Amino acid sequence: MIRKILFLHGFFASGSCIPAKALRTGLEGIATVLTPDLPLHPSDALRFIRSVIETEKPDLLVGNSCGSFYAQILASELGLPTLLGNPHFEMSGFLMERIGEHQYKSPRRDGRQTFVIDEALVGEFAELEKRQFDCCTHDGADQVCGLFGDNDNLAHYEPLFLEHYTHAYHFPGRHTPTADEVRTWYVPLVEKLLLKN
């Protein structure tokens, strides 16, 4: 039986980023990998992801960076098995240092390639961060795995992850995994989670 996975990309990325494509090819024949473009604002993003989950009913969530921030919230809330790749649990601090106009690092389906980080957006993330672990329970903790790059120079949240979850793994990569790293490290963990559930 072909399973279904929802991949949530990082803040500067899109559903066509390298990790999304590599996950799709690495799991071909095992799972259909959905890789939508996420809205910029966190409340919009969570509303959108919830609607995709309700419609598509994925067996598993996989996130990277900001996508892992969203995935953790929804995994706890909805009881979904989840792999958090290099989760960034303090997006507000990351964004505050990057106020201004930016370009997405991979093409978006709507053709929009620029966006603006402003203090209002930073504030939206700050509010969400305060309650991001509210739905985390001891029973659900066993279904969530964290995968941390040993050379990640952006997100250092394994200690915070381990305050709530127990399954932490490492790979010898940076914050955004390469296609080879996705195939070597992400895919086997996804397969392991699918077998458990």
Side-chain angles (χ1 to χ4, degrees), residues 7-10 38 62-75 82-89 132 144-147 186:
F7 175 78
L8 307 177
H9 62 74
L38 302 180
V62 179
N64 193 66
S65 190
C66 183
S68 289
F69 171 68
Y70 294 139
Q72 187 284 136
I73 292 168
L74 294 166
T82 301
L83 174 59
L84 307 178
N86 286 329
H88 205 309
F89 295 134
Q132 64 182 304
V144 177
C145 293
L147 182 57
Y186 282 64

Side-chain angles (χ1 to χ4, degrees), residues 11-12 40 66 88-102 115-127 129 154 157:
F11 187 81
F12 282 89
L40 180 68
C66 183
H88 205 309
F89 295 134
E90 294 177 341
M91 286 298 299
S92 59
F94 172 80
L95 297 176
M96 183 57 85
E97 297 173 357
R98 293 163 176 83
I99 297 285
E101 186 172 305
H102 298 271
F115 63 94
V116 174
I117 297 171
D118 57 22
E119 290 191 9
L121 181 64
V122 173
E124 290 173 37
F125 274 98
E127 283 304 308
E129 286 161 13
L154 286 178
Y157 296 104

Side-chain angles (χ1 to χ4, degrees), residues 27-146:
L27 290 165
E28 195 170 349
I30 298 166
T32 299
V33 182
L34 309 172
T35 63
D37 294 341
L38 302 180
L40 180 68
H41 292 268
S43 58
D44 295 338
L46 285 171
R47 192 177 310 112
F48 171 75
I49 297 163
R50 284 188 186 101
S51 73
V52 173
I53 290 170
E54 188 175 326
T55 303
E56 299 290 344
K57 298 182 174 33
D59 299 290
L60 181 74
L61 297 180
V62 179
N64 193 66
S65 190
C66 183
S68 289
F69 171 68
Y70 294 139
Q72 187 284 136
I73 292 168
L74 294 166
S76 300
E77 182 184 303
L78 303 173
L80 277 170
T82 301
L83 174 59
L84 307 178
N86 286 329
H88 205 309
F89 295 134
E90 294 177 341
M91 286 298 299
S92 59
F94 172 80
L95 297 176
M96 183 57 85
E97 297 173 357
R98 293 163 176 83
I99 297 285
E101 186 172 305
H102 298 271
Q103 283 201 327
Y104 289 105
K105 293 180 179 177
S106 51
R108 289 177 67 88
R109 291 175 181 91
D110 63 7
R112 293 185 64 184
Q113 283 307 115
T114 61
F115 63 94
V116 174
I117 297 171
D118 57 22
E119 290 191 9
L121 181 64
V122 173
E124 290 173 37
F125 274 98
E127 283 304 308
L128 186 56
E129 286 161 13
K130 292 175 187 174
R131 56 184 196 278
Q132 64 182 304
F133 295 106
D134 282 2
C135 293
C136 187
T137 65
H138 177 73
D139 292 341
D142 194 49
Q143 293 197 92
V144 177
C145 293

